[in-house]
Amino acid sequence: MGIPIPNSKLGMWLFLGTEIMFFTAFIGSYIVLRLGSPGWPTRYEDTHINVLLGGINTFVLIVSSYLVVVAHEAMAQKNFTRARTYLTGTLLLAFVFLGIKALEYKGKIEHDILPGRIPETSTQAIRKVDRQFEELVRARFAVYTYEQIIETDRPDDIVNLSLAVQRLSDGTIKRPMSLTSDEFSAFQKSAEVDSKLYREWMNLHQHVVANVSLAEPALPAGYLQSRATLEAGEKQPELTMNEVQSWLNGLRAEDHSLSELVNSNIFDPHPMVYGNIFASCYFIMTGFHAIHVIVGMILFIAVLKQGSSLNEKWTDFVENSGLYWHFVDLVWIFLFPLLYII
């Protein structure tokens, strides 16, 4: 009773107190992990953290906070048309912020900088190349089953599918009535490329499974024969990341049809120490912040929906929404230097 502010404003301040504790846990955990992890990824080539976009977003939020202050001042002066104008500007800047953030997320997703998907050792990097090749081969083969050019009751059996794709490229599969001659001819040419792609992937896959150098045989018969020639205590040379990188470069240089597929779908083997912890921190901190931005936008939309009916009864609501929005801005001012600059 002794506090000379509306109950709603007191409630907002109490709520913001809990939000401060919420984000303090994230920021504190990030600082501890960052300082306790020597070799934390910082290069742009590893993290794809765009300082310029982060700086623009910081400026966008600061300007939007100013517009909220002016909107509240207009509400206090009962200039509701002016208040709606500035709140509309705030809402538009919030959309700009989320659009830039979506652009940043798109870059992370395209480069597979996602928690649990970043290789942190050479072995993990090699296995990721193998996995990406398999995903590419399966996606290419799925086209033939989807178009019913190849009929099978086991669409996941990649070995049998590879034989069918080979027959398609050899011209031993008849043209379906649903396709024209030109369309079927295009699929036959595509099948020839996909057969090569499958053979290249299977060669790599066999060496990954056996963990032997690409210079050594990896198929069961040749592998066992090669092992039989070893002296006691000797072992075959292991597959290295540099070998896989050289093999990928060779595919890009030797065959144009394969190089396009490799360039657009296969990442070079590149381990990033602490990469998954970094990605987890980045997405959980910026993701929760983005959710708070969306909540603030909903508050502003609730006011703007009143249109010409907006009146002084909404003054406290606009002020409380502004307090929430300033908090969102303040959190980003902490996140920007921590994640983007330091």
Side-chain angles (χ1 to χ4, degrees), residues 23-277:
F23 276 100
T24 298
F26 286 151
I27 293 173
S29 298
Y30 172 79
I31 292 173
V32 170
L33 290 170
R34 173 71 177 82
L35 296 178
S37 304
W40 186 272
T42 55
R43 299 191 313 144
Y44 173 78
E45 293 78 5
D46 294 333
T47 63
H48 287 269
I49 290 288
N50 194 315
V51 179
L52 176 61
L53 292 181
I56 293 173
N57 259 352
T58 303
F59 178 75
V60 165
L61 283 185
I62 291 173
V63 173
S64 70
S65 282
Y66 167 75
L67 295 183
V68 169
V69 172
V70 178
H72 176 248
E73 181 184 20
M75 290 291 295
Q77 296 172 352
K78 298 185 179 181
N79 190 342
F80 305 118
T81 300
R82 186 165 178 259
R84 289 202 309 272
T85 300
Y86 282 108
L87 285 178
T88 301
T90 302
L91 185 63
L92 291 177
L93 288 177
F95 275 112
V96 171
F97 177 89
L98 291 181
I100 293 175
K101 181 53 61 182
L103 186 63
E104 290 187 78
Y105 277 14
K106 180 175 179 290
K108 301 289 187 301
I109 294 170
E110 287 178 346
H111 290 87
D112 212 26
I113 304 176
L114 299 169
R117 294 185 61 87
I118 300 174
E120 298 188 1
T121 65
S122 297
T123 300
Q124 291 177 357
I126 292 171
R127 289 176 179 171
K128 181 171 183 176
V129 173
D130 177 42
R131 185 173 65 252
Q132 288 180 321
F133 251 100
E134 180 179 0
E135 292 171 354
L136 175 59
V137 171
R138 290 188 180 277
R140 299 281 295 185
F141 282 5
V143 175
Y144 304 108
T145 56
Y146 177 78
E147 296 290 346
Q148 297 183 338
I149 301 171
I150 296 174
E151 296 184 0
T152 177
D153 56 354
R154 293 185 295 175
D156 294 330
D157 189 344
I158 196 168
V159 176
N160 284 329
L161 276 178
S162 70
L163 298 175
V165 171
Q166 182 63 51
R167 291 197 303 272
L168 176 61
S169 65
D170 294 339
T172 56
I173 291 181
K174 294 183 178 180
R175 175 175 65 87
M177 298 299 294
S178 59
L179 297 177
T180 65
S181 297
D182 291 341
E183 290 173 335
F184 186 66
S185 177
F187 276 114
Q188 286 181 311
K189 292 180 181 179
S190 176
E192 183 178 354
V193 175
D194 292 338
S195 292
K196 292 180 184 178
L197 184 70
Y198 171 80
R199 290 193 296 271
E200 293 289 352
W201 165 66
M202 185 52 66
N203 175 55
L204 173 67
H205 181 66
Q206 295 286 352
H207 284 84
V208 171
V209 172
N211 192 26
V212 294
S213 168
L214 291 173
E216 299 290 327
L219 291 174
Y223 176 74
L224 293 175
Q225 184 178 0
S226 177
R227 282 182 60 87
T229 62
L230 297 176
E231 299 291 337
E234 286 186 325
K235 65 177 183 178
Q236 293 170 301
E238 296 182 352
L239 183 64
T240 66
M241 191 175 68
N242 289 336
E243 275 189 294
V244 176
Q245 181 66 72
S246 299
W247 173 75
L248 284 174
N249 293 338
L251 284 183
R252 295 186 176 106
E254 294 172 7
D255 194 319
H256 179 69
S257 59
L258 289 183
S259 67
E260 292 183 358
L261 293 173
V262 171
N263 286 334
S264 58
N265 295 277
I266 310 299
F267 295 113
D268 288 334
H270 180 68
M272 185 164 62
V273 179
Y274 300 115
N276 291 297
I277 298 178

